[in-house]
Structures are given as structure tokens and as C-alpha cells.
Amino acid sequence: QASPDTLELFHAAVCEMMNEGRFDGYNTWVAVLLRKTKEYPKKFDRLRDIWLIPHTVKLITAMMDDELKRVSEVGATLSNAGFSQKRGCPEQTMTIRCGKEMALATQTQYYRGYIDLGVFFMSMPRVVAWAAEKCHGVEQKVLRVLQQMVRGLNGAYDSGFGMTDSFGMNNGV
């Protein structure tokens, strides 16, 4: 446990970084390639990449969580079953069946897509995410900090055989 004086100094330093948009030294992320359970370890395409990011970046992102949740609740209602309490699988099944029945009745095609939201935002181009956040009313100072945190972001993989060369992550992870 850090002393109160140390915590106060750390808080002041983080606030200064956020206000000035200075994130030098925090723009390198490393991905560790780990074997999935019961997978053959030499199959490169079956390895899981776990990104290790500087702890300060995690703390700054957590500090902005209230603002992002506020905007999310207003701009993107969580009406889909599974994202709201006391709603679940039977409702999703009924919704799909109603959509299929409507397509049959109107003789139109019916498509459905599934998005794994656990990885969706990691692969979304940043300009799209920033445009959506701006459109839905995320405070400008929060947007500025989020954008500056990833400016000049680099990544590298630790493959178990050493580190790869660093590469730019300009569009998204």
C-alpha cells in the first residue's frame, strides 16, 4: 500500500498528464501470445493475444468511465436482451422468431449478425469510435484525452522466442 503522500503525488502527475495531453512513455503496449486450453502450442493462429498496457493508461481510462457510461445510457440504450437486468435468452429467441416470421409474411430476406462485444471495440477503427463518441455527446476534454493517449501508439509481441519489432497501431488494436 502506497503512502498518502505518494498517492497524492501520483494523482497530481496523472492529472497533469491528462490536462497537458502528455503521455510520453505510455505509448508502447506488448501482447503476450498464450496457448488456449487444449490447443496445440505450435499452431500460431490458435494463440490468444493478451495485451499488456501501462497501468496508468488503465487508471486514466477508468477515471473517464463515468462519462462514457453516462453517454452510453443516453445515446445507445441497452435495449437488447442480455445487456439489461431481468432480460435474457427467451426474449432474444422470440425476437429472432418474430423477425423471421415477418420476413416470411412480407417475402423479404432476413439477415442477422452477431457481434462479440468483448472484442468488437478493440478492432474498431479509432476514427469511427471517436466520431460515435462525439456524436453521442462525450465531453470534448474526455475525447481529447482519449485521442492523445493513443497518439503514436506502438505495439510488439512477445512470442516466447523473443520480442518482435515494434509496429505502429494507428487505426486500432
Side-chain angles (χ1 to χ4, degrees):
Q1 178 76 21
S3 70
D5 290 342
T6 302
L7 292 174
E8 189 174 318
L9 286 171
F10 179 73
H11 181 263
V14 169
C15 288
E16 183 180 327
M17 283 172 45
M18 289 171 59
N19 288 332
E20 293 179 10
R22 213 177 16 86
F23 296 98
D24 304 328
Y26 294 97
N27 59 351
T28 299
W29 296 6
V30 175
V32 179
L33 299 175
L34 300 175
R35 183 176 62 100
K36 295 179 182 179
T37 306
K38 298 182 181 179
E39 290 283 348
Y40 185 63
K42 291 187 178 181
K43 290 185 86 176
F44 189 77
D45 63 328
R46 299 300 301 154
L47 296 175
R48 175 179 286 132
D49 59 331
I50 306 295
W51 285 93
L52 307 173
I53 63 174
H55 190 64
T56 301
V57 172
K58 291 182 181 182
L59 291 173
I60 291 171
T61 304
M63 289 169 69
M64 297 186 205
D65 207 33
D66 287 345
E67 170 64 4
L68 297 174
K69 282 182 181 175
R70 179 194 68 79
V71 171
S72 176
E73 289 170 2
V74 172
T77 57
L78 302 176
S79 60
N80 186 10
F83 294 101
S84 302
Q85 286 186 330
K86 300 181 181 176
R87 299 175 77 176
C89 200
E91 182 178 349
Q92 290 177 342
T93 303
M94 186 184 82
T95 303
I96 290 171
R97 286 188 179 164
C98 287
K100 286 170 61 177
E101 291 293 325
M102 187 174 79
L104 283 171
T106 59
Q107 296 183 347
T108 58
Q109 294 182 355
Y110 181 71
Y111 298 100
R112 63 179 168 234
Y114 296 97
I115 299 172
D116 181 354
L117 293 175
V119 296
F120 176 71
F121 296 103
M122 289 288 284
S123 60
M124 176 188 283
R126 288 193 190 101
V127 291
V128 173
W130 294 335
E133 290 164 350
K134 183 177 181 179
C135 175
H136 287 289
V138 173
E139 287 186 37
Q140 189 62 38
K141 63 183 179 182
V142 171
L143 276 175
R144 183 177 50 84
V145 169
L146 290 171
Q147 291 169 352
Q148 290 172 339
M149 269 194 330
V150 295
R151 189 182 56 220
L153 187 62
N154 292 302
Y157 282 98
D158 183 346
S159 65
F161 301 101
M163 293 290 281
T164 64
D165 291 336
S166 182
F167 53 89
M169 299 192 316
N170 301 323
N171 296 323
V173 177

